[in-house]
Amino acid sequence: MVILWLDVTAQQDTVLTDPLRLNEIVITARVDKDKLLTPVSVYSLDGEDLMGLQGTAASLKGVPGHFVDASVGEVFSRVHTRGISLSAEDDIGWYYSSLYEDGLPVTVVQYNYYTPDFFFRPDLSVSKVESLRGGKSMILGANAPGGLIQFDTRRIDTVYQSHDRVTFGLYESGRWMGRLEGISGGPIGRSGWQHNFSYMFRYDEGPRNLDYSMNEGGQFKISISKVFSKGIFDFRIKYLNDKVNRYTGLAASGWDNPIPAFGQDFSSTSLLPPSLDARLPDGRSNSSTTYAYNPSNGIRAKDIALQANIDIALGSWILEGKARYSRKRIDWQNAIGGQPLGLENFLTYFISGDPFPVGLVEFKESATGQTLASVNNLGVLNAFQGMPPTFEYIQGKLPFDAVMGTGAWKRDDAINEYIQDLRLVREINDLHFEVGMFSSVSNVNLYTNASFLYTTYEPSPRLLEVNLVNPGEPSRALSDELGLSNYGALFYQGADIRASQNAIYSMVHAPLSSSTLLDAGVRLERIQHKGDRDRFANSTREGGIDGNPLTSYDGGVLEKTGSENIDFSYLTLSYSLGINHTISRSTSVYARYSSGNKAPEINYYTNNFVNVDLPGKGTIQDIEQMEGGVKFYHPRTSLAISGFYSKLNDVPFSEFVFDQDNNRIFYSPTLFNSSETVGLELESAFQVGSLFELQYRLTLQSGKLKDYQVYQTQGTTDENDDVIIDFSGNSLPHTPSYTQSARITLDQTKYSVDLDWHIMGARYGNLENSFKMQSYSTWDISWEYRFNNRFYFSFSVNNLFNSSGIANFFGPNQFGSNASQATAAFIESNPQASFVVFPIYPRTLYFSVGYRFVK
C-alpha cells in the first residue's frame, strides 16, 4: 500500500485552515502532523471540483510543474513533469509518470499505444486527485520516477447517502454529449459492513464532425468494507467497458501564426474516415482468419478489476496491504496519418500493393458508385528520370488534387495483471519507519496491423474505390469496394511477453531536532521481460489471399513467420533524501535530493530493431532530481515556492518513419541522449472575506538538450544516405517556458461562481527548435445554483472565448512525416507549405442537474 491516510478531523485543535488544502491531502509521505507542511511537492484537487468530462489529463491542466496535452481526445494523452519527458513520445505519453487508483497503479506496463489513461475515467466517485512530483516518487512508484497521480474513490460509511448527476454538453460545432453518473452507499443494516456503488455512462459525439460518436460507454464500481477492532478491510470491483477514440492532426499554414488550411476548421474538422464494415486478414494466423475493422468502433477499452485492501494492527506494528487482479483488453479500429497524397505522387498508386499501377486510374465514391475522377498517372514516372512528376485529369476532379494518406490501424492487446503492495509501519515516539514489498506480473499479448485506406482529402472525407482501367487490359482493383487497399502490409507487430516487477523499499522519518525532520527512502527493484516477439514477411500466395490476380489490394499481407525469444532483466536502485525544517508554526523550508532510474518498457522490444535480431537488453535511464522550497500558510493565505533541477541520462530516441520506396512504416535506429531542466513553481491561495477565494499557480522552467543526437534516415530504409544530427544545447521540445493558472471563486449559500484562467507558454515543436508553438490562454467559467440542500443546477463553459491554441505539432503535411522533418532549411525553402497540428478543444457548454440525498 502506497498511500498513508491522515485523519485531520482528529487534529482540528492544532491544524490551521489552509487555503491550499494541504491539511486535506492524502499524503504519499509522512507529514508533520502538527503543522502539515510536507517535505515534498504535492498538489491536491477536491473531487467536487472535478468534472472529468474531457478525460483524465484535461483535469490535470492546472497542476504546477506538469505538462498536459489532451488535444486528441479523452485518452492517448501526454502527461509529464518538470522536464522529465524525452521518452514520453506521442504514443507513450505517461512514460515517466504513474497513474494510481485507490493506492495501486492502474496498470504497471506501458508501451506504444498502451498507456494507463485508457483504463481510468474520472467521475463522481472521485473524492480527491493528488499529484506527487519530484524525487519521492522514485521510492513510492513502480518504475515511475517522474511522479505519481493518485485518484481516490469516495467512501460513504456512516449513513446512507447518494449523489446523482445528469449532464448535457454542447460543442461549438453543434455536436453534443450526454452523461449520467452517480454514487451511493452507507451501512448494510447493523452488521458493521458498509457498501458503495458508483456508475458513469455517457454518449459523446465529440467536438468535431463525424458520422459516428467519439466516446460511448462507461463503468461501474462496487465496494464493501468493514471496520474491525484492530483494522479495516474492503473489497472493490470495477468494470469498465468504454469506446473512446483519438483525433488525427489537422492541416495548418503560416509557420509563425498557424491558421487552418485546405478548408479545414480547428473547431469542427475531423479527418477520421467515415464508418465502414470490413474484414481484413489476420497475419498472426497466416491470413486464414480475419479481424473486424470499422473506424466508428474507435478504441474499445475493457477492464475488469478486483481489489482487496487490509489495514490491521499487529502489536506495535501496522500492516497495510493492497492487491489487485485485472483483465484488460484494448481493441483499436481507427486511423493513423491523414495527410494529402497528391495525384502526381507515385506513392498514391504504388501504396496499393499493385506491382505497376500506371495508366488510367479511376476513383469512385464508395457510397454512391459515382466516378469522381479518372486520371492518367503516367507522368508520376518522371520522378525516376529526374523530371517533375505530373498527372492528367481525363474526367472529373478530386478535392485538392489528392487522396488522403490514411492507415487503417488495428491493434488487439490483452493484458492480465496482478499487482500487490504490502507494507509494515512502525512509530516509536517521533520516529516513523516503514518497509514495503511491491510485486506485479503482467501477461501482455499484443498485435498491431495496418492497411491503406483511400479517401478524399477534404474536411469530410469520403471513401474511394480505386481501379486501374487501362484500355485493352483487364481492370485491376487497387482497392476493394470500401477503399481498403494493401491489406495488412503497412505495419505488423506481435508479441507475447510476461513482465514482472519486484521491489523492496524502506522509508524513515526521523527528527534531527524539535524543528528539523529527516526524510529518507530507498527502493531496490528488479524488472524482468520474458517471452517472444513475432518475425514476419509478406505473403507470397499467387493471386493474393483470394487467389485473384486482378485484386491487387490483397497480395502483400504481412504474416507471422516465427518468433524471437526475449529474456532480459534489469536491477535498479533508487534513493531519496529530504530535510524539512520548521521555522515557525506557519512556515517551513525543505530540500531533497533523489537519484533514480527508468528501466525500459516493452516497446523497446516491439518497436525497435524491426524484423531483425535484438542486439541485447535495453539501457536503463539515469534520473537525478533536486528540489527545495518554502511553504507558508495562514488561515487566509497560503504560499508554496519550489525550485527544482532534473537531469536525464541514457535516454533512447527513435522516430516513426514511412519509406515511400517499399511502402513500409518503421522506426529509426535508436541513439541515447541526455537533457536537464531547471525551474520554479509557485502555488498560492488567498481568502478575501468570507465569500471570495483567489488561487494562483505559476511554473517557470528552462529545459535543455544536454547531449543529444538523432539518427536521420532521410525517409528510407537505405542506410547509405543516413546521417546523424547533433542538437546538443537546444531547448527541450514540448516543454513550455511557463504555465500560469488563476482561479477566482465566489461562494454563497445559494450559489457559487468560479472563473478560471489558464496560460500555456510557448514551446518548441521539435528537437531542432525550428518550429515554435506560440503561447495561448483559455478561460473557463462555471456557475452553480442550489435550490436547497439536495437539488442543484450548474452551467459551465470551457474555453469561453474559443481559443485556437496549438497543443502539438507533427511536421510537414506529408504521409509518414514527423516533427523533426520540419527543419529550418525545409521551412525556409517552403514558406507556404502546410503542416500538421493538434489544436486544443473548442468552446464547450455544459448543463448539469444534480441531486444529493442523506438519510
Side-chain angles (χ1 to χ4, degrees):
M1 175 174 168
V2 171
I3 306 303
L4 173 64
W5 293 85
L6 179 62
D7 184 3
V8 300
T9 60
Q11 305 171 34
Q12 292 178 350
D13 56 335
T14 59
V15 177
L16 299 176
T17 301
D18 177 15
L20 278 180
R21 298 182 178 89
L22 291 178
N23 60 337
E24 299 173 6
I25 286 175
V26 179
I27 299 297
T28 51
R30 187 181 185 273
V31 299
D32 184 326
K33 291 186 178 181
D34 291 329
K35 300 176 178 60
L36 294 171
L37 296 171
T38 69
V40 291
S41 297
V42 183
Y43 171 84
S44 177
L45 175 66
D46 192 284
E48 290 291 329
D49 298 326
L50 178 73
M51 288 290 281
L53 298 175
Q54 294 182 354
T56 305
S59 65
L60 303 172
K61 69 178 182 180
V63 178
H66 279 62
F67 171 77
V68 174
D69 175 10
S71 58
V72 301
E74 282 194 25
V75 299
F76 208 65
S77 54
R78 292 190 301 158
V79 175
H80 53 73
T81 308
R82 291 179 169 178
I84 303 173
S85 63
L86 282 177
S87 292
E89 303 167 5
D90 297 284
D91 51 2
I92 325 178
W94 292 71
Y95 192 80
Y96 297 99
S97 300
S98 187
L99 178 62
Y100 271 60
E101 182 178 16
D102 297 329
L104 289 175
V106 171
T107 182
V108 180
V109 294
Q110 292 194 60
Y111 52 90
N112 298 73
Y113 299 93
Y114 178 89
T115 51
D117 60 341
F118 284 104
F119 304 102
F120 181 79
R121 302 289 179 270
D123 60 15
L124 271 181
S125 68
V126 175
S127 62
K128 281 187 175 65
V129 186
E130 287 151 359
S131 168
L132 171 65
R133 57 195 186 274
K136 194 63 179 283
S137 63
M138 295 179 177
I139 310 304
L140 297 169
N143 201 26
L148 302 179
I149 297 169
Q150 157 78 6
F151 283 79
D152 181 63
T153 300
R154 190 182 312 277
R155 286 179 55 188
I156 303 171
D157 56 15
T158 53
V159 297
Y160 178 80
Q161 300 179 50
S162 67
H163 182 187
D164 297 275
R165 182 170 67 193
V166 59
T167 300
F168 174 80
L170 185 65
Y171 295 104
E172 182 72 10
S173 61
R175 293 169 69 82
W176 67 279
M177 62 84 66
R179 176 170 167 137
L180 179 65
E181 58 191 325
I183 180 171
S184 63
I188 303 175
R190 298 181 180 180
S191 64
W193 288 87
Q194 294 86 32
H195 78 283
N196 287 269
F197 173 77
S198 68
Y199 65 92
M200 185 277 289
F201 303 103
R202 55 96 169 76
Y203 176 86
D204 184 359
E205 291 188 331
R208 302 192 169 102
N209 292 324
L210 286 168
D211 64 346
Y212 45 85
S213 66
M214 191 69 176
N215 309 298
E216 187 176 345
Q219 66 182 8
F220 67 81
K221 304 176 187 178
I222 302 172
S223 70
I224 58 172
S225 60
K226 185 171 184 178
V227 178
F228 297 91
S229 59
K230 292 187 177 182
I232 183 172
F233 168 81
D234 68 53
F235 180 74
R236 308 181 183 197
I237 301 173
K238 182 179 84 169
Y239 176 70
L240 181 147
N241 190 341
D242 201 30
K243 186 201 86 171
V244 288
N245 213 329
R246 63 157 187 165
Y247 292 112
T248 54
L250 299 179
S253 60
W255 295 100
D256 296 327
N257 183 28
I259 59 174
F262 294 98
Q264 298 172 25
D265 184 275
F266 286 165
S267 293
S268 61
T269 297
S270 168
L271 297 181
L272 291 175
S275 177
L276 61 93
D277 279 305
R279 303 290 306 185
L280 292 170
D282 190 331
R284 288 172 291 186
S285 53
N286 296 323
S287 308
S288 59
T289 60
T290 61
Y291 61 75
Y293 176 76
N294 188 332
S296 69
N297 291 331
I299 307 166
R300 174 66 68 178
K302 295 182 180 180
D303 187 13
I304 302 175
L306 310 176
Q307 179 171 333
N309 309 324
I310 186 168
D311 292 0
I312 188 169
L314 301 175
S316 57
W317 291 85
I318 298 175
L319 173 66
E320 300 175 342
K322 290 182 179 289
R324 179 192 297 144
Y325 174 76
S326 65
R327 296 175 63 90
K328 294 177 168 61
R329 181 75 180 267
I330 187 165
D331 180 9
W332 290 68
Q333 297 180 40
N334 70 342
I336 57 173
Q339 290 75 55
L341 280 173
L343 295 178
E344 79 287 352
N345 190 333
F346 77 94
L347 179 63
T348 303
Y349 312 96
F350 281 84
I351 201 171
S352 66
D354 190 282
F356 196 69
V358 177
L360 187 62
V361 178
E362 184 180 68
F363 297 90
K364 293 182 178 180
E365 184 177 0
S366 296
T368 64
Q370 177 186 359
T371 299
L372 299 181
S374 295
V375 171
N376 180 358
N377 71 357
L378 185 62
V380 303
L381 301 179
N382 294 348
F384 300 100
Q385 301 173 6
M387 295 184 296
T390 62
F391 78 97
E392 177 189 5
Y393 278 120
I394 304 301
Q395 175 187 352
K397 182 178 175 64
L398 289 183
F400 303 107
D401 302 328
V403 299
M404 180 110 66
T406 297
W409 189 253
K410 170 70 175 183
R411 189 170 190 105
D412 184 12
D413 294 357
I415 301 91
N416 296 331
E417 202 163 49
Y418 173 77
I419 309 170
Q420 73 86 28
D421 201 340
L422 189 67
R423 186 170 64 163
L424 280 170
V425 180
R426 176 76 183 271
E427 296 211 27
I428 307 173
N429 297 324
D430 291 329
L431 176 66
H432 176 95
F433 172 78
E434 56 189 80
V435 60
M437 180 181 71
F438 176 91
S439 64
S440 68
V441 177
S442 306
N443 293 306
V444 180
N445 181 273
L446 62 90
Y447 171 68
T448 309
N449 195 218
S451 307
F452 191 73
L453 180 61
Y454 280 104
T455 69
T456 57
Y457 184 69
E458 57 184 332
S460 296
R462 292 170 287 171
L463 299 173
L464 293 174
E465 180 186 352
V466 186
N467 294 284
L468 182 69
V469 289
N470 287 329
E473 299 178 6
S475 175
R476 298 207 301 270
L478 304 186
S479 80
D480 64 16
E481 294 179 352
L482 297 173
L484 286 159
S485 183
N486 209 358
Y487 281 4
L490 289 189
F491 193 86
Y492 180 99
Q493 184 182 81
D496 195 347
I497 299 174
R498 178 185 175 93
S500 61
Q501 296 188 33
N502 295 280
I504 55 173
Y505 60 91
S506 180
M507 290 179 287
V508 61
H509 311 276
L512 301 179
S513 68
S514 60
S515 58
T516 304
L517 172 70
L518 173 69
D519 176 19
V522 62
R523 184 183 185 97
L524 180 66
E525 189 160 26
R526 183 179 185 269
I527 297 172
Q528 183 179 38
H529 298 142
K530 189 174 184 178
D532 300 284
R533 68 168 192 164
D534 294 351
R535 303 295 286 267
F536 56 89
N538 290 102
S539 169
T540 56
R541 289 185 181 86
E542 185 176 351
I545 299 300
D546 61 4
N548 183 356
L550 300 181
T551 54
S552 301
Y553 51 79
D554 65 350
V557 177
L558 292 173
E559 297 177 329
K560 179 179 178 179
T561 58
S563 61
E564 178 184 3
N565 181 255
I566 296 168
D567 190 358
F568 299 112
S569 62
Y570 307 87
L571 186 66
T572 66
L573 177 67
S574 303
Y575 62 89
S576 182
L577 179 66
I579 293 179
N580 189 69
H581 178 69
T582 302
I583 298 174
S584 68
R585 189 167 181 263
S586 61
T587 307
S588 71
V589 294
Y590 74 95
R592 178 175 295 279
Y593 173 81
S594 304
S595 177
N597 308 274
K598 174 65 181 179
E601 297 279 6
I602 290 175
N603 58 284
Y604 170 77
Y605 316 105
T606 57
N607 270 39
N608 300 311
F609 320 109
V610 176
N611 233 20
V612 297
D613 291 341
L614 287 167
K617 68 180 183 180
T619 302
I620 297 173
Q621 296 182 32
D622 174 67
I623 300 170
E624 181 181 7
Q625 296 184 68
M626 291 183 284
E627 62 179 317
V630 58
K631 297 186 178 183
F632 168 83
Y633 77 100
H634 183 271
R636 293 191 177 277
T637 304
S638 286
L639 177 66
I641 302 175
S642 304
F644 65 86
Y645 169 81
S646 306
K647 183 181 179 181
L648 279 71
N649 290 319
D650 298 319
V651 180
F653 183 82
S654 179
E655 284 198 307
F656 174 89
V657 185
F658 180 76
D659 188 330
Q660 297 189 9
D661 293 334
N662 58 26
N663 299 343
R664 286 285 180 83
I665 296 171
F666 68 101
Y667 282 79
S668 63
T670 303
L671 296 179
F672 297 90
N673 306 287
S674 65
S675 71
E676 58 183 3
T677 304
V678 295
L680 183 72
E681 300 164 350
L682 181 147
E683 301 173 66
S684 60
F686 310 94
Q687 290 184 346
V688 182
S690 60
L691 300 179
F692 284 95
E693 180 177 287
L694 171 64
Q695 296 184 28
Y696 176 73
R697 301 180 183 90
L698 169 68
T699 300
L700 301 172
Q701 59 187 347
S702 174
K704 296 294 182 182
L705 300 172
K706 185 172 174 57
D707 298 297
Y708 210 96
Q709 293 182 327
V710 170
Y711 193 101
Q712 181 58 259
T713 65
Q714 310 300 332
T716 71
T717 55
D718 182 2
E719 297 182 0
N720 293 322
D721 61 353
D722 294 355
V723 296
I724 294 178
I725 304 173
D726 194 335
F727 293 124
S728 301
N730 285 6
S731 293
L732 188 63
H734 304 293
T735 302
S737 55
Y738 68 94
T739 57
Q740 298 181 71
S741 62
R743 184 179 195 182
I744 300 175
T745 300
L746 168 63
D747 195 353
Q748 290 193 337
T749 303
K750 281 289 187 180
Y751 67 89
S752 61
V753 180
D754 291 299
L755 180 63
D756 291 88
W757 179 43
H758 180 74
I759 300 178
M760 173 67 74
R763 298 132 288 132
Y764 285 105
N766 56 16
L767 296 164
E768 189 182 351
N769 294 173
S770 56
F771 179 80
K772 178 180 281 190
M773 292 172 281
Q774 300 302 317
S775 62
Y776 64 86
S777 67
T778 57
W779 289 83
D780 303 331
I781 188 170
S782 62
W783 172 78
E784 179 180 298
Y785 181 80
R786 296 175 280 272
F787 297 96
N788 50 43
N789 61 356
R790 293 188 178 184
F791 282 103
Y792 67 90
F793 167 83
S794 66
F795 170 74
S796 60
V797 184
N798 285 3
N799 196 359
L800 178 63
F801 299 109
N802 203 33
S803 171
S804 58
I806 302 301
N808 202 353
F809 167 74
F810 222 61
N813 194 21
Q814 302 167 2
F815 184 60
S817 68
N818 57 64
S820 292
Q821 292 179 9
T823 63
F826 178 89
I827 293 173
E828 182 179 359
S829 301
N830 300 274
Q832 305 303 318
S834 62
F835 46 92
V836 180
V837 298
F838 291 80
I840 62 174
Y841 262 38
R843 176 168 47 218
T844 310
L845 284 66
Y846 295 108
F847 308 86
S848 295
V849 176
Y851 177 79
R852 295 184 178 94
F853 173 79
V854 179
K855 186 174 181 180

